[in-house]
Amino acid sequence: MDDTTRMMRAQGGRVIGDAGFARCMQALGPWLPDGPDAVPVAIAVSGGADSLALALLTRRWRRAVVGLVVDHGLRAESADEAARTVRCLAEMDIPARLLRLRGLLRGPRMAERARRLRYQALCHACRELGCLDLLLGHHGDDQAETVMMRQRASSGPDGLAAMAQAVAGTDVRFVRPLLGVCKADLYATLRHAGIDWVEDPSNTDLRTERARARHALSTDAQLRRVCLQTAQQAGGRRMARDAQDAQWLAAHARFDAGGWVGLPRMLPPERVLSALVRTVSGHEYPPSPGGVAALCAVPRAATLGGACLLAHGGEWLLAREEAAMQGHVRARAGICWDGRFVLHVDGVADGAVPALSDLYVGAAGAVATWWPRERGRPPFPARVLRTLPALHRGGRVVAVPHMGVFAPGMEQGWRFAFAPPCPATMLARFTPSGQIHHPV
């Protein structure tokens, strides 16, 4: 056991009560109905003290829950630890699903790659189970560490807001009920319940930035309080800005299911345009701030961050950049193409290959090869229509579902849902209304 963990265990902490947790969860609602046959709330459980305490408290608060345990496969003992976590959840009367990551190799940016694959696996499991909410075990110490690291990196005001208590993803809401408590309280809660946990050795590897921040904060309570106050204040300001952004988008932007956005001649504020570029391109990271600022100052046709801006009918269209799109991939129900479009096939479960297995998913391409002439002129510029997702067979386009185009004999049960990884607005809650308060 490392010195930081010994110190946190020795601090004792306070047991988190069921009533306080229930009030916190109520403030973070709404929630689906509970009961033995209800849609469960998912909990990401690593086997550490934070996620196990969250699982314990959630099971006491609600009957319909499911634990999702991810085995990264990076350490020889990870499979045994994951299996142990599943057994621990079973002892709590929590059904669990074990998710094994494939293809994660050690190397540059490993933590970032592991995080991306982990969240992809968790979200996929939530979709299969029908879960609308995924609970995460991040706590107050994690929040303080995040603020410290972002201060060192000279992050802007949004970065200093750190982690939100609740944020809506494309089809799953991420909820962090424990941001109002410290890790010592989680240790105390598990000890009181007689539950042991796994300590991940990477959490104390001082070669990582987060471990160094954790070590610094464990010996400086005042610095921890300052970091948490910074997050709370920056979070409140971020929520206010997000509300303004949402109002602007509701009043001026027109989102098309094909993945592009109509904008007025006067482009939106830089912050809004940057978010829209991420949404349209499907990129996880924002475009160059300098490029966004230059485009807002002098609106013009341009490409930026995997998206392109072009004039059309007295307005601007922000669409996907053709040259940056993904190539052809074999059609499979539930597959995500170009990081933005999910293929759905009526009557076929996600992951299964449809009956017409010789189909591929790719960009629609040259409009003249698939647009029916009897329909007259297409309603949008060819440059935009070429970026639509389409089904291909033998090198020919046989379906462009967004335009209602299907080759003779093609089933019309094929459709693409626009599901970018980054929404145009965060819809996040940073306020402390959902924090857990201990009784005095």
Side-chain angles (χ1 to χ4, degrees):
M1 188 185 303
D2 65 283
D3 292 341
T4 301
T5 302
R6 285 194 187 94
M7 182 180 303
M8 297 179 86
R9 285 191 172 184
Q11 288 172 350
R14 293 179 290 182
V15 175
I16 301 172
D18 294 348
F21 185 78
R23 286 192 297 270
C24 170
M25 297 305 286
Q26 183 178 4
L28 293 173
W31 304 98
L32 291 176
D34 192 15
D37 299 320
V39 174
V41 169
I43 315 163
V45 185
S46 66
D50 43 8
S51 60
L52 279 178
L54 175 61
L56 172 68
L57 292 164
T58 304
R59 181 62 186 85
R60 291 174 175 173
W61 164 70
R62 180 183 174 91
R63 179 178 178 85
V65 296
V66 60
L68 302 179
V69 181
V70 177
D71 175 13
H72 294 79
L74 291 173
R75 295 183 291 115
E77 59 272 26
S78 66
D80 289 339
E81 291 174 355
R84 174 184 170 185
T85 301
V86 170
R87 290 194 298 271
C88 183
L89 290 172
E91 293 171 359
M92 295 184 196
D93 193 26
I94 298 177
R97 176 175 292 197
L98 180 58
L99 311 176
R100 291 188 172 89
L101 300 188
R102 307 295 183 189
L104 180 59
L105 303 175
R106 293 187 178 276
R109 306 172 73 94
M110 186 182 71
E112 178 184 319
R113 290 184 285 110
R115 178 184 181 278
R116 183 181 298 111
L117 288 175
R118 179 169 64 252
Y119 275 89
Q120 287 177 355
L122 289 169
C123 289
H124 182 73
C126 285
R127 293 187 197 102
E128 288 188 336
L129 294 165
C131 302
L132 300 181
D133 298 285
L134 174 65
L135 306 189
L136 304 172
H138 299 113
H139 48 80
D141 293 56
D142 292 330
Q143 186 80 311
E145 293 159 13
T146 301
V147 172
M148 174 179 276
M149 291 189 297
R150 292 183 179 179
Q151 286 176 330
R152 291 174 175 175
S154 301
S155 292
D158 281 358
L160 295 180
M163 293 179 284
Q165 280 197 300
V167 59
T170 302
D171 52 4
V172 177
R173 190 174 68 121
F174 304 98
V175 185
R176 299 179 176 91
L178 302 179
L179 287 184
V181 300
C182 63
K183 189 148 189 169
D185 293 347
L186 305 180
Y187 284 142
T189 302
L190 289 178
R191 282 198 301 267
H192 185 264
I195 297 174
D196 201 4
W197 60 91
V198 175
E199 294 287 356
D200 187 342
S202 66
N203 289 337
T204 56
D205 184 352
L206 293 180
R207 291 173 296 181
T208 67
E209 184 182 9
R210 182 168 289 276
R212 292 193 295 271
R214 179 174 298 124
H215 182 74
L217 289 167
S218 68
T219 58
D220 193 334
Q222 175 61 22
L223 178 59
R224 180 184 180 277
R225 282 193 293 270
V226 170
C227 287
L228 291 176
Q229 289 171 357
T230 298
Q232 182 175 330
Q233 294 165 2
R237 291 190 290 268
R238 178 164 184 172
M239 279 184 56
R241 290 192 298 271
D242 284 346
Q244 293 175 349
D245 295 348
Q247 290 173 352
W248 191 97
L249 290 168
H252 303 289
R254 292 185 298 99
F255 290 82
D256 192 280
W260 58 82
V261 183
L263 299 171
R265 297 300 294 177
M266 181 62 69
L267 289 177
E270 295 173 20
R271 171 185 162 92
V272 176
L273 183 59
S274 178
L276 287 172
V277 169
R278 291 178 68 188
T279 299
V280 168
S281 67
H283 287 185
E284 185 175 352
Y285 298 101
S288 160
V292 173
L295 204 55
C296 288
V298 184
R300 64 196 182 282
T303 58
L304 178 67
C308 68
L309 189 70
L310 63 152
H312 174 67
E315 65 173 7
W316 294 105
L317 290 182
L318 185 66
R320 183 71 163 114
E321 180 186 359
E322 287 183 80
M325 289 189 299
Q326 185 179 6
H328 289 194
V329 296
R330 184 175 292 277
R332 189 175 69 251
I335 192 171
C336 183
W337 175 76
D338 198 39
R340 304 176 301 138
F341 288 99
V342 177
L343 174 63
H344 296 287
V345 188
D346 290 350
V348 180
D350 283 356
V353 177
L356 299 173
S357 58
D358 59 341
L359 292 172
Y360 287 81
V361 178
V367 177
T369 64
W370 55 265
W371 180 256
R373 293 184 179 179
E374 62 271 17
R375 291 196 189 180
R377 188 173 181 176
F380 293 99
R383 183 174 179 181
V384 170
L385 295 179
R386 290 196 297 265
T387 68
L388 286 170
L391 295 169
H392 298 252
R393 181 195 291 144
R396 294 179 56 250
V397 174
V398 293
V400 185
H402 278 99
M403 292 290 106
V405 174
F406 295 89
M410 276 290 296
E411 295 281 346
Q412 293 198 21
W414 304 75
R415 54 192 171 84
F416 289 97
F418 183 55
C422 298
T425 55
M426 279 286 288
L427 298 176
R429 182 181 301 180
F430 290 89
T431 57
S433 60
Q435 290 186 350
I436 298 171
H437 298 283
H438 293 281
V440 178

